[in-house]
Amino acid sequence: MRYLGIDYGKKRIGLAMSDIMGIMAQPFDVIESKGLKNNVENILKIAKEKEVSCIVVGKPVNMNATEGEMAELAAEFAEELKKFTDIKIEMIDERLTTAQAERVLIEEANLSREKRKGLKDKLAAAFILQTYLDIHSSF
């Protein structure tokens, strides 16, 4: 089973892909956000090309467990995906994944702000997907 992880944003959408066994998540790509309809079409095209069996969308819940605007947008995106595919769509709490990705890129990779932009999104998607895979691991 191959999984696609998504860090949904207003400007960019970070993508991560699992290996064919569904064990390891790797940063995959970043696409520019171009409206809900286009975003859904682009993601489903990638999912079909890569033979994805499950799409995992990060839900950015606030630290106090409330849901803000981005959580609502991510949920709306996930619901829209469900309307146009029979691929399993899951959501997972992505608290701190972007901050975690940013920290890795600054502290370990020592990248400039400009170079971190796209990398941060797909690395956050990889953290989201790896969290999901670890929780649902049968090993």
Side-chain angles (χ1 to χ4, degrees):
M1 286 183 67
R2 188 178 298 270
Y3 296 81
L4 175 64
I6 298 177
D7 180 37
Y8 193 77
K10 288 181 181 178
K11 294 181 182 179
R12 289 177 303 278
I13 302 169
L15 305 176
M17 194 74 61
S18 77
D19 62 333
I20 198 74
M21 302 286 292
I23 297 170
M24 295 279 300
Q26 299 176 53
F28 177 68
D29 201 1
V30 175
I31 60 174
E32 296 301 313
S33 183
K34 296 182 178 175
L36 186 59
K37 183 176 185 266
N38 285 330
N39 293 343
V40 167
E41 288 174 0
N42 289 336
I43 295 300
L44 292 180
K45 180 181 176 197
I46 292 167
K48 184 176 181 181
E49 287 172 2
K50 297 296 182 181
E51 299 179 353
V52 168
S53 55
C54 180
I55 298 173
V56 179
V57 180
K59 188 173 192 179
V61 179
N62 296 324
M63 290 306 292
N64 64 1
T66 61
E67 295 181 10
E69 176 191 8
M70 286 311 300
E72 291 174 21
L73 289 174
E76 180 183 350
F77 173 71
E79 288 304 312
E80 200 66 17
L81 283 172
K82 289 177 185 177
K83 291 179 187 176
F84 296 99
T85 187
D86 58 356
I87 296 173
K88 183 178 179 181
I89 310 294
E90 297 269 6
M91 292 201 78
I92 188 168
D93 182 345
E94 67 156 88
R95 238 176 288 200
L96 298 178
T97 56
T98 302
Q100 184 181 16
E102 183 88 16
R103 190 178 71 245
V104 166
L105 292 172
I106 292 170
E107 294 175 6
E108 295 180 27
N110 197 25
L111 293 176
S112 69
R113 181 179 304 247
E114 190 60 35
K115 289 181 181 177
R116 287 194 310 259
K117 272 185 185 173
L119 288 174
K120 177 178 66 175
D121 298 312
K122 62 183 174 181
L123 188 56
F127 286 134
I128 290 165
L129 183 54
Q130 192 63 56
T131 299
Y132 178 88
L133 295 173
D134 290 347
I135 290 169
H136 294 88
S137 173
S138 57
F139 295 104

